[in-house]
Structure formats: C-alpha cells, structure tokens
Amino acid sequence: MELFQYPYMQRALIGALVIGLAAPALGIYLVQRRLALIGDGVGHVALTGVGAGLLLNQSPVLVAVIVASLGAITIELVRARGRTSGDLALALLFYGGIAGGVMLVGLSNNTRALNAYLFGSLTTISPGDLTTIAVLGAAILVTMLALRPALFAVCHDEEYARVSGLPVRTLNLLLAVATAVTVTIAMRAVGVLLISALMVVPVAAAQQVTRGFRGTMAAAMALGLFAAGSGVYVAADANTAPGASVVLMAIASFAVVALGGAVWRALRRRATPAATPAPEPHEVVLHRS
C-alpha cells in the first residue's frame, strides 16, 4: 500500500475505478445486442486516432475520441441500412483501424507510444489525462443509467421499440458514440487489445447469479469496480502490467462467481425435496356399465 502514496499511483487507481464503472454499464447493452466484440473493432479505429494525434502533435486521446466516434457512427449507419452484415462491418473496423494506426504511429516516429495504447499504461496517466477520463467516464455512466429503459428496449427488440415511438436510430448512434468514447478512455487503462474484456466479462459474471436487467447491471458495475481496484493493487504489489492485471482479476471474478453460483444452485436443489409429479391422465378412460 506504500506505493499509493505517490501521485502517479493515485491517478492510476482513480482512472481504473472510473473505467471499471463505466465499461460494464455500457457493456451490458452490447451483450444484449450480441455485439460483445465491437469494442475490439472500435479500439482498432481509435488506434488510428492515436496515430493521427501523435503525427499532428495533438492530444492522442482527444483525436482518438473523434476518429473512433466517426468510425463507429459510419459502421452503425452501414449496418442499419443493411448494406453489409455486422460481422463484415466489424472486420472492416479490425483490419482498417489497426493498419491505419500502425502506419500513422510509424510516420510519427514515436513507436514507443504504441505499446502504451495497445496494452495500457496506467502509471503514465497525467493529470490532464485523468481529467479527460473522469469527465468522459462520468458522462457515459450518467447516460447509460438515465436512458436505461429506452436503451434496453432498443437492444432487446428493435422493432418493438420502433413501433413504440422510440428514436431507434438516434439511440443506436448514441450507443455507437458511447462505445467509441469508452474504448478511447480505457485505452490508457487496459489497452486496445484488452478493452472488450472489461466491457463484457463483468456482465457475463453478473448474469450467472442475477435475474433481471437492473440487477445484472448493478452487479456488473460492482464486479468491474472490484476488478479495476484489485487489478491495480496486484500490479503495484507484484510489479505486473496494470491492464493485464485488471483483466485477469475480472476473469478470476467470473470464475469464482460462476463456480459459487453453480454450487449454490446444487445445494438448493438438494435441500428442496423434489415434488412428486401428478399422474398423467389416461388417453382413454373406460367406464363400467
């Protein structure tokens, strides 16, 4: 715990906790829409923004937010018009984004910064980066909570939401932009290659033991917060990569919750006597004359 007396570790912990709350709050909608891997695709587009920021000597995070948002909106519009499938759209994000990012980072002659965005670098977060993460993370969290009924309706049944009068296209675009923003601010915490894990794994763990969308969302945010805080602590104590430590703690949480839920259900079945099934009626009943 002595390491947390240093300002850079305090910034790392605060940044990780903000992302640990915001990422599952958005991720539950992506899981509901079966778009769990879209974070990887948007992350690759954000990498192009990072390269552009380094090349233009601008803030890589802010440029990445703009580029990733434009890419996510474009893919959502293409998907909504049915001109290409969701899988193909994600493939375009993956390959085009990472190719553009690597090329631009190479042109900027700052290849050392590439690993920090690919795998995360919490301990190098500056006060300005922390302010950006806190403001954007809070905005994502408030939006996901405030618009929960409408977003759930769109993710659960888009046609029903449209018939009900909800602005489906606007909400879909909002989710696309929120995904881009979340991925971008999380790059400094867990990296482009690991961000989807923090958005999806806490949700998957919460689904093992909760019923209902609201309970799952709350549990996922709690697990994300735990994974972020414990991951930074493990990284500081064992001198490991913070991003990888956070993701591994999230996966460990999933394993513990899944195992505990299975054991609890088995004990409940054993403690509750099985009800004797009622005899099925005969298809033909013979009456004595």
Side-chain angles (χ1 to χ4, degrees), residues 40-281:
D40 286 328
V42 175
H44 287 75
V45 174
L47 188 62
T48 299
V50 170
L54 294 174
L55 184 62
L56 299 173
N57 292 321
Q58 301 296 324
S59 171
V61 174
L62 293 180
V63 177
V65 168
I66 296 172
V67 173
S69 298
L70 292 175
I73 290 173
T74 301
I75 294 301
E76 174 59 31
L77 292 176
V78 172
R79 183 199 66 82
R81 294 186 178 185
R83 295 184 179 180
T84 185
S85 65
D87 291 340
L88 180 56
L90 286 177
L92 293 173
L93 282 173
F94 269 78
Y95 306 133
I98 196 169
V102 172
M103 183 185 72
L104 291 176
V105 171
L107 291 174
S108 69
N109 295 321
N110 194 3
T111 55
R112 291 184 177 181
L114 186 60
N115 284 339
Y117 291 97
L118 286 176
F119 304 104
S121 183
L122 268 173
T123 54
T124 62
I125 291 179
S126 65
D129 291 336
L130 181 60
T131 301
T132 301
I133 291 173
V135 171
L136 294 180
I140 293 296
L141 187 60
V142 170
T143 302
M144 295 301 104
L145 292 176
L147 299 179
R148 180 174 55 197
L151 291 174
F152 171 76
V154 170
C155 295
H156 183 69
D157 191 337
E158 192 168 300
E159 293 300 324
Y160 175 78
R162 184 175 287 106
V163 172
S164 301
L166 291 175
V168 173
R169 174 172 295 184
T170 301
L171 292 172
N172 282 333
L173 292 176
L174 175 64
L175 277 177
V177 173
T179 302
V181 173
T182 303
V183 167
T184 305
I185 64 174
M187 284 193 306
R188 300 303 303 272
V190 295
V192 168
L193 300 182
L194 298 174
I195 176 55
S196 280
L198 198 57
M199 298 169 71
V200 173
V201 174
V203 178
Q207 288 177 335
Q208 304 297 314
V209 293
T210 58
R211 292 182 179 179
F213 187 81
R214 181 179 300 178
T216 302
M217 188 177 194
M221 291 169 60
L223 289 170
L225 196 65
F226 168 77
S230 59
V232 173
Y233 176 80
V234 169
D237 186 63
N239 194 25
T240 56
S245 301
V246 169
V247 173
L248 287 176
M249 290 304 298
I251 295 175
S253 301
F254 172 82
V256 171
V257 171
L259 180 61
V263 171
W264 173 254
R265 288 189 292 269
L267 292 176
R268 288 191 61 183
R269 285 195 298 267
R270 182 173 298 181
T272 304
T276 304
E280 297 182 0

Side-chain angles (χ1 to χ4, degrees), residues 24-42:
L26 170 68
I28 189 170
Y29 298 107
L30 301 180
V31 171
Q32 188 74 20
R33 296 185 66 185
R34 293 180 174 86
L35 291 175
L37 294 179
I38 195 173
D40 286 328
V42 175

